[in-house]
Amino acid sequence: MFVLHVALQGCLRGNNVEYGLTTDTGGHIRYLLDLVDACRNERQAERIVIATRAFEGFGDDYIKPVEIVDETTRIVRFRTTHPGYLAKEDLHTELDSFSNALIEHIAAGGTRPDILHAHYADAAVVAARVEDALGIPFVFTGHSLGKVKQKALPSCEADRGFAERIAAEELALARASLVIASSRDEAELQYKAYRNYDPGKIRVLPPGSDLKAFRGAAASPVVEREMARFLAEPDKPVILAIARPVAKKNLAGLIEAYGQSEALQAAANLVIVAGSRDDIDALEADMAANLRELLRLIDRYDLYGKVAYPKSHRGEDIPGYYAYARDRRGVFVNPAFNEPFGLTLLEAAAVGLPLVATDSGGPNDIIETCGNGLLVDPRDADGIADALLQIFRNGEMWDCFSASGDRAVKTYDWERHVTRYHGLVHDLVRPPEMSTQRAIQLLISDIDNTLVGSVPHLHAFGNWRRVQENLAFGVATGRSFHSAMAVLEQQDVPRPEVMITSVGSEIYTLSENGVSYEQDEGWLKAIAANWQRSAVERVLRGVSGLTPQAPLEQRDFKLSYFSDGNHATVERVRTALQEAGVLASVIHSHRRYLDILPIKASKGTAVDHVRRRYGLPESSVFVAGDSGNDIEMLQAIPQSIIVANYSDNLGKLPALKHSYIASSTHAAGIIEGVLHFRNKAKAAGLAR
């Protein structure tokens, strides 16, 4: 497979990238090069080309027409109308000349790319023009979204270049065959602000990270000496931040939080590693202004001897900074107004540092996955200080967060990312054969602790599913669409034809390309009647025993809470809604999760909607589940299967006495139940 990446921004070269050289030479270049490096180790990557822009003024490396990285990979550079370097806000002026050069290059070459991968919005405009001219499809990675950044910036900075950028992002969402997001926050909250938002066309593939250099990082004499230059008490705990000195990283907000809190100054030193510089005046305007602001704030709060801000560092020094903070039982903080992903958070986690991070962007996913830190509002200086003090004052919390960071090493792995990436791209280029036979049976299964939970049983299910003719397969889950897809693809579950997600409040069906999904708009219209979302929120604020789940778990047609586990709390919820005249469905599961849905929405009604769309009788449908949020689905369908590892007392509920209780757990129990009902139907047919 031949993938051509399009990336116009920053100072891009194959080795020794000068990160921080410009405001646009940052994490997205590392993402791209790490992705390419991981892809070329896979047999599917026969050829990789990165197309970027040539420019003068930064040395010969950036005007070289062709850079051979290795036998598989090369970088090609095209000159455009403007000869010099341009920031991303101004690149829209070069898209015509760059697109024409790339189209001419591809047309003249011997081998056409199978697919293009566009990085950032301007590259998507180029990719769309290539697709128009040559018919080559493209996938899109946004890295950082204009609407999010525009909202985060001060009003005086919120206009420059954003109209073109947001228009290009809308084009990308409309035209790309697939959109690759780094986090659920990006897929479900950030992209949702766009007119062309199509959730079924987005996949969450967290970037990997080569964390070997950080896991077990040792103290560095170089770092120790550098810190001794700044800090009066160098053995105190450390608050560490590593980021480019640009406004969106909000390093000034971190200094404000530290400078305003005497308790925090007493508890810890502050270390800010903000790129390298020879002379502030020689930096780009944004970085120079930001550094001057940091120095002004240090002076304003008289933080000399408490704050370190090294002038330069080498890449190999960074693990030593993390180790310096860890050895002093410090905390790593990312206070950015928005962080699309957060590679430094993974590095800090791998070293064993607890995290305090912005609640906007990828850190939501990282901290939820690793359980190693606290999220904060980056605009709330008191909140940042309070979160840091909470960790410094609680030794058990520090120990727990430090140990939990090891999950980052196991979870955010490029090999795992590339396996999913190549699977999706391969299927877009060479779509899997879709069965033209009409389904005569339908199997819908819950995911967690039903379909997944046993690797051997899941492998057996995959093999069994692949030989089932005329059986449509779907899942019904409390997870969101993107969360569910991530679990299924990571565990190599056969791609479902139907996805019933968010406890039955959303339905997606597999598109003709066999990769993306289309949301069932008819179902949304059907459940929208009498749904009073704001009224539900208002009523439940007065019910004790409930805690709202994170913003990511809230949907247009689902409100999610943690309950205290008491049955009386659930009854208070139902009574409060009834007395307020608010119609809603209340679903409680695992004695912890409480979901409020439209009165017409549940896994059961969603399965029935899908059944009718397939034109099948109830006798041709199988459903499988394990917990309380499966009850409506199991109750509604006669051929219901309860796997052996069930919870919430399902096997003893009178309403489910028609269900088959499997002797096998997880996916093996699903197969067992389907065979049971098929044999039962066959026996009944013979008896007649």
Side-chain angles (χ1 to χ4, degrees), residues 380-535:
D380 182 1
D382 291 340
I384 294 172
D386 289 345
L388 288 164
L389 286 169
Q390 187 177 345
I391 298 174
F392 284 129
R393 290 169 174 169
N394 188 328
E396 290 184 4
M397 177 183 286
W398 192 98
D399 291 337
C400 178
F401 285 168
S402 176
S404 297
D406 195 51
R407 296 175 192 164
V409 179
K410 300 173 183 176
T411 303
Y412 295 96
D413 176 69
W414 273 117
E415 184 177 345
R416 181 180 300 186
H417 176 105
V418 167
T419 297
R420 290 183 62 203
Y421 174 77
H422 274 159
L424 292 165
V425 171
H426 179 274
D427 286 351
L428 284 172
V429 173
R430 301 176 182 89
E433 290 187 14
M434 303 282 284
S435 175
T436 58
Q437 296 178 308
R438 177 179 174 273
I440 60 175
Q441 290 186 319
L442 172 66
L443 167 63
I444 302 287
S445 170
D446 175 50
I447 296 179
D448 295 285
N449 296 314
T450 303
L451 183 61
V452 304
S454 166
V455 173
H457 291 173
L458 189 56
H459 287 166
F461 178 86
N463 294 331
W464 175 80
R465 167 71 186 106
R466 291 180 184 96
V467 298
Q468 299 302 302
E469 296 182 357
N470 304 320
L471 174 71
F473 166 57
V475 295
T477 177
R479 291 178 177 269
S480 70
F481 170 80
H482 299 100
S483 175
M485 283 306 311
V487 170
L488 297 176
E489 289 177 351
Q490 286 168 0
Q491 304 208 32
D492 199 27
V493 176
R495 197 167 287 148
E497 285 90 350
V498 179
M499 300 275 293
I500 297 171
T501 62
S502 299
V503 203
S505 61
E506 298 172 16
I507 300 174
Y508 299 83
T509 56
L510 189 62
S511 303
E512 289 185 5
N513 64 18
V515 176
S516 62
Y517 284 77
E518 298 171 5
Q519 190 165 14
D520 191 326
E521 298 292 339
W523 177 243
L524 295 181
K525 291 178 182 178
I527 66 174
N530 299 316
W531 173 235
Q532 300 171 273
R533 191 179 188 280
S534 58

Side-chain angles (χ1 to χ4, degrees), residues 547-605:
T547 303
Q549 292 184 34
L552 271 176
E553 305 309 324
Q554 314 302 335
R555 313 291 292 172
D556 288 346
F557 294 95
K558 177 176 77 77
L559 286 165
S560 294
Y561 298 82
F562 295 114
S563 80
D564 58 10
N566 293 325
H567 180 71
T569 300
V570 182
E571 290 308 309
R572 285 200 301 273
V573 168
R574 291 194 171 102
T575 300
L577 291 171
Q578 185 176 6
E579 290 179 350
V582 178
L583 294 175
S585 177
V586 179
I587 297 176
H588 193 232
S589 60
H590 297 289
R591 298 181 60 84
R592 176 165 170 76
Y593 304 108
L594 189 138
D595 296 301
I596 313 296
L597 309 173
I599 195 68
K600 296 181 179 180
S602 72
K603 287 185 178 181
T605 54

